[in-house]
Amino acid sequence: MDPDPASTVPATAVEINAGAWYLRALRADDRLSDVPALTDLGITDPAGYVAGTAEPAEPADPGDPGEPDAVRCVWAVCIPTTGELVALIGVTGRPGAGALRGCHRAGYAGALAAAADPVRRFAAQALDLPAGELRTGVP
């Protein structure tokens, strides 16, 4: 039996252990939904945001074969025992140049700060997106 595509995590999702915090792909399915937490972060269409993180970033200009595709990876920063999203972090850019952005729920600034270095290392080593300092904002 084929799994329901609406309830599967994209194959490209990479889970990251950030010490006391667990980073995973965003979800909005019958088992786990990040929609309430994303609403708390001020995202006006949280279900659309989750769906958008499963899609590739903007494609390269088909008229410019030398232009690489943009990359976008977004993670939910979660409490490991519950899976509850407490912060959001992501990296965007093109090979050789990335940007790191994130936001957090009230009382969880430390979770976002702890996720920054592991995401920065993953982005640089696995995606060729060296990212500078973490900037505040929805990734």
Side-chain angles (χ1 to χ4, degrees), residues 42-108:
I43 296 174
T44 56
D45 179 14
Y49 185 82
V50 172
T53 62
E55 299 171 359
E58 65 185 74
D61 179 358
D64 184 358
E67 182 68 22
D69 285 347
V71 175
R72 178 179 183 221
C73 287
V74 178
W75 290 268
V77 181
C78 303
I79 298 170
T81 55
T82 64
E84 178 186 1
L85 182 153
V86 297
L88 194 60
I89 191 166
V91 63
T92 57
R94 298 191 187 282
L100 185 64
R101 297 181 80 70
C103 54
H104 61 86
R105 295 172 71 186
Y108 290 101

Coordinates of all heavy atoms in Angstrom, one line a residue, residues 42-108:
G42 N 3.3 34.0 14.0 CA 2.8 35.1 13.1 C 2.7 34.7 11.6 O 2.5 35.6 10.8
I43 N 2.9 33.5 11.3 CA 2.7 33.1 9.9 C 1.2 33.0 9.6 O 0.5 32.3 10.2 CB 3.5 31.7 9.7 CG1 4.9 31.9 9.9 CG2 3.2 31.2 8.3 CD1 5.8 30.7 9.9
T44 N 0.8 33.8 8.6 CA -0.6 33.9 8.3 C -1.2 32.7 7.6 O -2.4 32.5 7.7 CB -0.9 35.2 7.5 OG1 -0.1 35.2 6.3 CG2 -0.6 36.4 8.3
D45 N -0.5 32.0 6.8 CA -1.0 30.8 6.2 C 0.0 29.6 6.6 O 0.8 29.2 5.8 CB -1.0 31.0 4.7 CG -1.5 29.7 3.9 OD1 -2.0 28.8 4.5 OD2 -1.3 29.7 2.7
P46 N -0.1 29.1 7.8 CA 0.8 28.1 8.2 C 0.8 26.8 7.4 O 1.8 26.2 7.2 CB 0.4 27.9 9.7 CG -0.9 28.5 9.9 CD -1.1 29.5 8.8
A47 N -0.4 26.3 7.0 CA -0.5 25.1 6.2 C 0.2 25.3 4.9 O 0.9 24.4 4.4 CB -1.9 24.7 6.1
G48 N 0.0 26.5 4.3 CA 0.7 26.8 3.0 C 2.2 26.9 3.2 O 3.0 26.5 2.3
Y49 N 2.6 27.4 4.3 CA 4.0 27.6 4.6 C 4.7 26.2 4.7 O 5.7 25.9 4.2 CB 4.2 28.4 5.9 CG 5.7 28.6 6.2 CD1 6.4 29.7 5.6 CD2 6.4 27.8 7.1 CE1 7.7 29.9 5.8 CE2 7.7 28.0 7.4 CZ 8.4 29.1 6.7 OH 9.7 29.3 7.0
V50 N 4.0 25.3 5.5 CA 4.5 23.9 5.6 C 4.6 23.3 4.2 O 5.6 22.7 3.9 CB 3.6 23.0 6.5 CG1 4.0 21.6 6.5 CG2 3.7 23.6 8.0
A51 N 3.6 23.4 3.4 CA 3.6 22.8 2.1 C 4.7 23.4 1.2 O 5.4 22.7 0.4 CB 2.2 23.0 1.4
G52 N 4.9 24.7 1.4 CA 5.9 25.4 0.6 C 7.4 25.0 0.9 O 8.2 25.0 0.1
T53 N 7.6 24.5 2.2 CA 8.9 24.1 2.6 C 9.3 22.7 2.0 O 10.4 22.4 2.0 CB 9.1 24.1 4.1 OG1 8.2 23.1 4.7 CG2 8.9 25.4 4.7
A54 N 8.2 22.0 1.5 CA 8.5 20.7 0.9 C 8.8 20.8 -0.6 O 9.1 19.8 -1.2 CB 7.3 19.8 1.1
E55 N 8.6 22.0 -1.1 CA 8.8 22.2 -2.5 C 10.2 22.9 -2.7 O 10.7 23.5 -1.9 CB 7.8 23.2 -3.1 CG 6.4 22.7 -3.0 CD 5.3 23.7 -3.3 OE1 5.7 24.8 -3.6 OE2 4.1 23.3 -3.2
P56 N 10.8 22.7 -3.9 CA 12.1 23.3 -4.2 C 11.9 24.8 -4.2 O 10.9 25.4 -4.4 CB 12.4 22.8 -5.6 CG 11.4 21.8 -6.0 CD 10.3 21.9 -5.0
A57 N 13.0 25.5 -3.9 CA 13.0 27.0 -3.9 C 12.9 27.4 -5.4 O 12.8 26.6 -6.3 CB 14.3 27.5 -3.3
E58 N 13.0 28.7 -5.6 CA 12.8 29.2 -7.0 C 13.8 28.5 -7.9 O 14.9 28.3 -7.6 CB 13.1 30.7 -7.0 CG 14.5 31.1 -6.6 CD 14.7 32.6 -6.5 OE1 14.3 33.1 -5.5 OE2 15.4 33.2 -7.4
P59 N 13.3 28.2 -9.1 CA 14.2 27.5 -10.1 C 15.1 28.5 -10.7 O 14.9 29.7 -10.7 CB 13.2 27.0 -11.2 CG 12.0 27.9 -11.0 CD 11.9 28.3 -9.6
A60 N 16.2 28.0 -11.3 CA 17.1 28.8 -11.9 C 16.5 29.4 -13.2 O 15.5 28.9 -13.7 CB 18.4 28.0 -12.3
D61 N 17.0 30.5 -13.7 CA 16.5 31.1 -14.9 C 16.8 30.1 -16.1 O 18.0 29.8 -16.3 CB 17.2 32.4 -15.1 CG 16.8 33.1 -16.4 OD1 16.0 32.5 -17.2 OD2 17.3 34.2 -16.6
P62 N 15.8 29.6 -16.7 CA 16.1 28.6 -17.8 C 16.9 29.2 -19.0 O 17.6 28.5 -19.7 CB 14.7 28.1 -18.3 CG 13.7 29.1 -17.7 CD 14.4 29.8 -16.5
G63 N 16.9 30.5 -19.1 CA 17.7 31.2 -20.1 C 19.1 31.4 -19.8 O 19.9 31.8 -20.6
D64 N 19.5 31.0 -18.5 CA 20.9 31.2 -18.1 C 21.4 29.9 -17.5 O 21.2 29.6 -16.4 CB 21.0 32.3 -17.0 CG 22.4 32.6 -16.5 OD1 23.3 31.9 -17.0 OD2 22.6 33.4 -15.7
P65 N 22.0 29.1 -18.4 CA 22.5 27.8 -17.9 C 23.5 27.8 -16.9 O 23.8 26.8 -16.2 CB 23.0 27.1 -19.2 CG 23.3 28.2 -20.1 CD 22.4 29.3 -19.8
G66 N 24.2 29.0 -16.6 CA 25.2 29.1 -15.6 C 24.6 29.4 -14.3 O 25.3 29.5 -13.3
E67 N 23.3 29.7 -14.2 CA 22.7 30.1 -12.9 C 22.2 28.9 -12.2 O 21.3 28.2 -12.6 CB 21.5 31.1 -13.2 CG 20.9 31.6 -11.9 CD 21.7 32.5 -11.1 OE1 22.6 33.1 -11.6 OE2 21.4 32.6 -9.9
P68 N 22.8 28.6 -11.0 CA 22.4 27.4 -10.2 C 21.0 27.7 -9.5 O 20.6 28.8 -9.3 CB 23.5 27.2 -9.2 CG 24.0 28.6 -9.0 CD 23.9 29.3 -10.3
D69 N 20.3 26.6 -9.3 CA 19.0 26.7 -8.6 C 19.2 27.2 -7.1 O 20.2 27.0 -6.5 CB 18.3 25.3 -8.4 CG 17.7 24.9 -9.7 OD1 17.6 25.7 -10.7 OD2 17.4 23.7 -9.8
A70 N 18.2 28.0 -6.7 CA 18.2 28.4 -5.3 C 17.9 27.2 -4.4 O 17.3 26.3 -4.8 CB 17.2 29.5 -5.1
V71 N 18.4 27.3 -3.2 CA 18.2 26.2 -2.2 C 17.5 26.9 -1.0 O 17.8 28.0 -0.6 CB 19.6 25.6 -1.8 CG1 19.4 24.6 -0.7 CG2 20.3 25.0 -2.9
R72 N 16.6 26.1 -0.4 CA 15.9 26.5 0.8 C 15.6 25.3 1.7 O 15.0 24.4 1.2 CB 14.5 27.2 0.4 CG 13.8 27.6 1.7 CD 12.5 28.3 1.2 NE 11.7 28.8 2.4 CZ 10.4 28.6 2.5 NH1 9.7 28.1 1.5 NH2 9.8 29.1 3.5
C73 N 16.2 25.4 2.8 CA 15.9 24.3 3.8 C 15.4 25.0 5.1 O 16.0 25.9 5.6 CB 17.2 23.5 4.1 SG 17.7 22.4 2.8
V74 N 14.3 24.4 5.6 CA 13.7 25.0 6.8 C 13.5 23.8 7.8 O 13.1 22.7 7.4 CB 12.4 25.7 6.5 CG1 11.7 26.2 7.8 CG2 12.6 26.8 5.5
W75 N 13.8 24.1 9.1 CA 13.6 23.1 10.1 C 12.8 23.6 11.3 O 12.9 24.8 11.6 CB 15.0 22.7 10.7 CG 15.9 21.9 9.9 CD1 16.0 20.6 9.8 CD2 16.9 22.5 9.0 NE1 16.9 20.2 8.9 CE2 17.5 21.4 8.4 CE3 17.3 23.7 8.6 CZ2 18.5 21.5 7.4 CZ3 18.3 23.9 7.7 CH2 18.9 22.8 7.1
A76 N 12.0 22.7 11.9 CA 11.3 23.0 13.1 C 12.3 22.7 14.2 O 12.9 21.6 14.2 CB 10.1 22.1 13.3
V77 N 12.6 23.6 15.1 CA 13.4 23.3 16.3 C 12.4 22.9 17.4 O 11.5 23.6 17.8 CB 14.2 24.6 16.8 CG1 15.1 24.3 17.9 CG2 15.0 25.2 15.6
C78 N 12.6 21.7 17.9 CA 11.6 21.0 18.7 C 12.1 20.5 20.0 O 13.3 20.2 20.2 CB 11.1 19.8 18.0 SG 10.4 20.2 16.4
I79 N 11.2 20.4 21.0 CA 11.5 19.7 22.2 C 11.6 18.2 21.9 O 10.6 17.7 21.3 CB 10.3 20.0 23.2 CG1 10.3 21.5 23.5 CG2 10.5 19.2 24.5 CD1 9.0 21.9 24.3
P80 N 12.7 17.6 22.2 CA 12.9 16.2 21.8 C 11.8 15.2 22.3 O 11.5 14.3 21.6 CB 14.3 15.8 22.3 CG 14.9 17.1 22.6 CD 13.9 18.1 22.9
T81 N 11.3 15.4 23.5 CA 10.4 14.4 24.0 C 9.0 14.5 23.5 O 8.2 13.6 23.6 CB 10.4 14.5 25.6 OG1 10.0 15.9 25.9 CG2 11.7 14.1 26.2
T82 N 8.6 15.7 23.0 CA 7.2 15.9 22.5 C 7.2 16.2 21.0 O 6.1 16.1 20.4 CB 6.6 17.1 23.3 OG1 7.3 18.3 23.0 CG2 6.6 16.8 24.8
G83 N 8.2 16.7 20.4 CA 8.2 17.1 19.0 C 7.6 18.5 18.8 O 7.4 18.9 17.7
E84 N 7.3 19.2 19.9 CA 6.6 20.5 19.8 C 7.6 21.5 19.2 O 8.7 21.7 19.7 CB 6.2 21.0 21.2 CG 5.5 22.3 21.1 CD 5.2 22.9 22.5 OE1 5.5 22.2 23.5 OE2 4.7 24.0 22.6
L85 N 7.1 22.2 18.2 CA 7.9 23.3 17.5 C 8.0 24.5 18.5 O 7.0 25.0 18.9 CB 7.3 23.7 16.2 CG 8.0 24.7 15.4 CD1 7.7 24.5 13.9 CD2 7.7 26.2 15.8
V86 N 9.3 24.9 18.8 CA 9.5 26.1 19.6 C 10.2 27.2 18.9 O 10.2 28.3 19.3 CB 10.2 25.7 20.9 CG1 9.3 24.8 21.8 CG2 11.6 25.1 20.7
A87 N 10.8 26.8 17.8 CA 11.5 27.8 16.9 C 11.5 27.3 15.5 O 11.3 26.1 15.2 CB 12.9 28.1 17.5
L88 N 11.9 28.2 14.6 CA 12.0 27.9 13.2 C 13.3 28.4 12.7 O 13.7 29.6 13.0 CB 10.8 28.6 12.5 CG 10.4 28.3 11.1 CD1 10.0 26.8 11.0 CD2 9.2 29.2 10.7
I89 N 14.0 27.6 11.9 CA 15.3 28.1 11.4 C 15.5 27.6 10.0 O 15.0 26.5 9.6 CB 16.5 27.6 12.3 CG1 17.8 28.3 11.9 CG2 16.6 26.1 12.3 CD1 18.9 28.2 12.9
G90 N 16.1 28.4 9.2 CA 16.3 28.0 7.8 C 17.4 28.7 7.1 O 17.9 29.7 7.6
V91 N 17.9 28.1 6.0 CA 19.0 28.6 5.2 C 18.5 28.7 3.8 O 17.8 27.8 3.3 CB 20.2 27.8 5.4 CG1 20.1 26.4 4.9 CG2 21.4 28.5 4.7
T92 N 18.8 29.8 3.1 CA 18.5 30.0 1.7 C 19.7 30.5 1.0 O 20.6 31.1 1.6 CB 17.3 31.0 1.6 OG1 17.7 32.2 2.2 CG2 16.0 30.5 2.2
G93 N 19.7 30.4 -0.3 CA 20.7 30.9 -1.1 C 21.1 30.1 -2.3 O 20.3 29.2 -2.7
R94 N 22.2 30.4 -2.9 CA 22.7 29.6 -4.0 C 24.1 29.1 -3.6 O 24.7 29.7 -2.7 CB 22.8 30.5 -5.2 CG 21.4 31.1 -5.7 CD 21.5 31.7 -7.0 NE 20.2 32.3 -7.3 CZ 19.1 31.7 -7.8 NH1 19.2 30.4 -7.9 NH2 18.0 32.3 -8.0
P95 N 24.6 28.1 -4.3 CA 25.9 27.6 -3.9 C 26.9 28.7 -3.7 O 27.1 29.5 -4.6 CB 26.2 26.6 -5.0 CG 24.9 26.1 -5.5 CD 24.0 27.3 -5.4
G96 N 27.6 28.6 -2.6 CA 28.6 29.6 -2.3 C 28.2 30.8 -1.4 O 29.0 31.5 -0.9
A97 N 26.9 31.0 -1.3 CA 26.4 32.1 -0.6 C 25.0 31.8 0.0 O 24.0 31.6 -0.7 CB 26.3 33.3 -1.5
G98 N 25.0 31.7 1.4 CA 23.7 31.4 2.0 C 23.4 32.4 3.1 O 24.2 33.2 3.5
A99 N 22.1 32.4 3.5 CA 21.6 33.3 4.5 C 20.9 32.5 5.6 O 20.1 31.6 5.2 CB 20.7 34.4 4.0
L100 N 21.1 32.8 6.8 CA 20.5 32.0 7.9 C 19.5 32.9 8.7 O 19.9 34.0 9.1 CB 21.6 31.6 8.9 CG 21.2 30.7 10.1 CD1 20.7 29.3 9.6 CD2 22.5 30.5 11.0
R101 N 18.2 32.4 8.7 CA 17.2 33.2 9.4 C 16.4 32.3 10.4 O 16.3 31.1 10.1 CB 16.2 33.8 8.4 CG 16.8 34.8 7.4 CD 15.8 35.3 6.5 NE 15.0 36.4 7.0 CZ 15.4 37.6 7.3 NH1 16.6 38.0 7.1 NH2 14.5 38.5 7.7
G102 N 15.9 32.9 11.4 CA 15.1 32.1 12.3 C 14.3 33.0 13.2 O 14.5 34.2 13.4
C103 N 13.3 32.4 13.8 CA 12.4 33.1 14.8 C 12.0 32.0 15.9 O 12.2 30.8 15.7 CB 11.2 33.6 14.1 SG 10.2 32.5 13.1
H104 N 11.5 32.5 17.0 CA 11.2 31.6 18.1 C 10.0 32.0 18.8 O 9.6 33.2 18.8 CB 12.4 31.5 19.1 CG 12.7 32.8 19.7 ND1 12.0 33.3 20.9 CD2 13.6 33.8 19.4 CE1 12.5 34.5 21.2 NE2 13.4 34.8 20.3
R105 N 9.3 31.0 19.5 CA 8.2 31.3 20.3 C 8.7 31.9 21.6 O 9.8 31.8 22.0 CB 7.4 30.0 20.6 CG 6.8 29.5 19.3 CD 6.2 28.1 19.4 NE 5.0 28.2 20.2 CZ 4.3 27.1 20.6 NH1 4.7 25.9 20.2 NH2 3.2 27.3 21.3
A106 N 7.8 32.6 22.3 CA 8.1 33.3 23.6 C 8.8 32.3 24.6 O 8.3 31.2 24.8 CB 6.9 33.9 24.2
G107 N 9.9 32.7 25.1 CA 10.7 31.9 26.1 C 11.6 30.9 25.5 O 12.3 30.1 26.2
Y108 N 11.8 30.8 24.1 CA 12.6 29.8 23.5 C 13.7 30.4 22.6 O 14.2 29.8 21.7 CB 11.8 28.9 22.7 CG 10.9 28.0 23.5 CD1 9.6 28.2 23.7 CD2 11.5 26.9 24.1 CE1 8.8 27.4 24.5 CE2 10.7 26.0 24.9 CZ 9.4 26.3 25.1 OH 8.6 25.5 25.9

